[in-house]
Amino acid sequence: MLENARASRQPYPTDISDAEWKILEPLVPPAIAYPNLQEPKHSRRELLNAIRYRVRTGCPWRMLPHDFPPWKTVYNTHREWAKDGTMKTIHDALVEQVRQEDGRDPEPTAGIIDSQSVKGSTQGGGYGYDAGKKVKGRKRHVLVDVLGMILAVVITPASVQDRDGAVPVVEAAAFEHSELQKIWADGVYNGQPIIDLEQRTGIDIEVVKRTDDMSGFVVLPRRWTVERTFGWLERFRLLNREYERTISSSTAGVYHAMITIMGRRLAGEVTNIEGLRMYG
């Protein structure tokens, strides 16, 4: 019965395919059941379709198309999944599956770290000013594996320096991924905070620098991987600007974008993740 609503409407390019749902269904928790209902009124798949539509298009909650479940129901589901870590749990499970599909161990041993400053919006909060990028908003501190899959992400005001933002990111990754041994970074990740971080976690943080014989634009070893991940995130309009009021909701948006990318890759809907066909 819950699938009837989806079958009765015209599909959107962002909808979860049947092949992808087979991968996601075991990971998605039951829909919220309210005391006055015998069973949830809306399917988990349709709720996830609505959340995905918003992350891709960047529309406000109240402007979700009416053939999705009511926007308040979708919003409440998103908020609960953001607060209780459901989005992260789904995301982390898919990271392991992508790594195994690529012939790698589920646990990574190396990663690449970088940050991305994003302009804020009038309704958001928790902003700062990144003087280097001349951006007022928030900064995403991201650590990815060698495939570009996110291992840890921390969102701060844009005024937080990269090396300071690296501390919670690397500590979170070290706690969740005990096999992590090496991280590549750019030249801003230096100084005593990084030295102390290496000593606490036992992870070697190596700076990949340009050499004197390089001129113009050069793709640096390893560092391009995290830049590609930022490129993937920019395909989702909600992430091109910081609209969310809370950090937890903003972080959940990043996880959901990566869930979309990994789910479609695992479902065989792309030939390679570099040439990702997002939505037709």
Side-chain angles (χ1 to χ4, degrees):
M1 180 179 69
L2 293 177
E3 291 298 324
N4 289 342
R6 177 177 176 272
S8 64
R9 67 169 175 81
Q10 291 294 316
Y12 292 99
T14 52
D15 281 356
I16 299 169
S17 67
D18 291 341
E20 190 181 354
W21 182 239
K22 289 181 180 179
I23 297 167
L24 295 176
E25 185 174 15
L27 305 175
V28 180
I32 300 174
Y34 295 96
N36 60 331
L37 298 176
Q38 295 294 324
E39 62 179 24
K41 186 176 180 180
H42 306 286
S43 74
R44 297 175 296 163
R45 184 171 176 177
E46 271 297 87
L47 291 169
L48 207 56
N49 276 333
I51 295 172
R52 176 176 291 190
Y53 179 94
R54 178 177 178 267
V55 174
R56 177 62 181 86
T57 64
C59 73
W61 289 109
R62 294 174 183 268
M63 292 186 181
L64 280 173
H66 295 302
D67 47 5
F68 281 129
W71 75 265
K72 286 187 177 180
T73 303
V74 180
Y75 168 74
N76 287 336
T77 302
H78 166 81
R79 183 181 62 181
E80 290 301 316
W81 287 355
K83 289 172 59 177
D84 66 14
T86 293
M87 284 297 185
K88 184 179 186 307
T89 300
I90 298 172
H91 170 272
D92 291 351
L94 292 180
V95 169
E96 291 189 3
Q97 292 184 39
V98 168
R99 289 183 58 83
Q100 289 176 314
E101 183 193 54
D102 197 65
R104 300 176 183 272
D105 292 334
E107 282 298 319
T109 58
I112 307 96
I113 191 170
D114 206 345
S115 69
Q116 180 187 48
S117 294
V118 183
K119 289 183 180 180
S121 62
T122 56
Q123 67 265 35
Y127 294 156
Y129 183 70
D130 182 344
K133 301 289 180 62
K134 295 181 173 56
V135 170
K136 182 180 180 181
R138 290 177 181 156
K139 184 179 287 187
R140 300 176 188 135
H141 305 269
V142 173
L143 176 66
V144 304
D145 68 2
V146 295
L147 299 177
M149 304 298 113
I150 292 179
L151 303 179
V153 56
V154 172
I155 298 177
T156 67
S159 54
V160 174
Q161 293 188 23
D162 289 1
R163 67 181 183 182
D164 296 327
V167 173
V169 174
V170 175
E171 287 180 340
F175 177 77
E176 297 178 10
H177 305 282
S178 58
E179 300 296 321
L180 195 60
Q181 301 173 13
K182 191 176 191 64
I183 293 175
W184 290 282
D186 65 22
V188 299
Y189 294 92
N190 57 26
Q192 196 60 45
I194 299 300
I195 295 173
D196 294 341
L197 182 61
E198 289 180 301
Q199 293 175 346
R200 286 198 307 273
T201 61
I203 298 174
D204 176 34
I205 301 177
E206 176 185 335
V207 173
V208 180
K209 296 182 178 180
R210 292 172 61 97
T211 59
D212 294 338
D213 60 344
M214 293 180 178
S215 62
F217 174 76
V218 179
V219 176
L220 296 177
R222 301 297 182 183
R223 277 171 47 184
W224 65 269
T225 304
V226 66
E227 296 295 344
R228 183 183 60 181
T229 301
F230 289 145
W232 294 340
L233 297 180
E234 288 174 357
R235 301 189 185 197
F236 296 82
R237 293 187 179 182
L238 187 69
L239 304 182
N240 287 333
R241 200 174 185 96
E242 277 290 342
Y243 294 102
E244 305 293 49
R245 295 179 185 273
T246 66
I247 295 294
S248 63
S249 185
S250 182
T251 305
V254 173
Y255 284 134
H256 192 85
M258 291 303 297
I259 288 170
T260 301
I261 292 170
M262 292 186 291
R264 293 198 164 185
R265 175 176 179 171
L266 291 167
E269 297 177 7
V270 292
T271 55
N272 60 76
I273 203 158
E274 289 84 1
L276 184 62
R277 179 188 62 79
M278 290 300 299
Y279 301 102

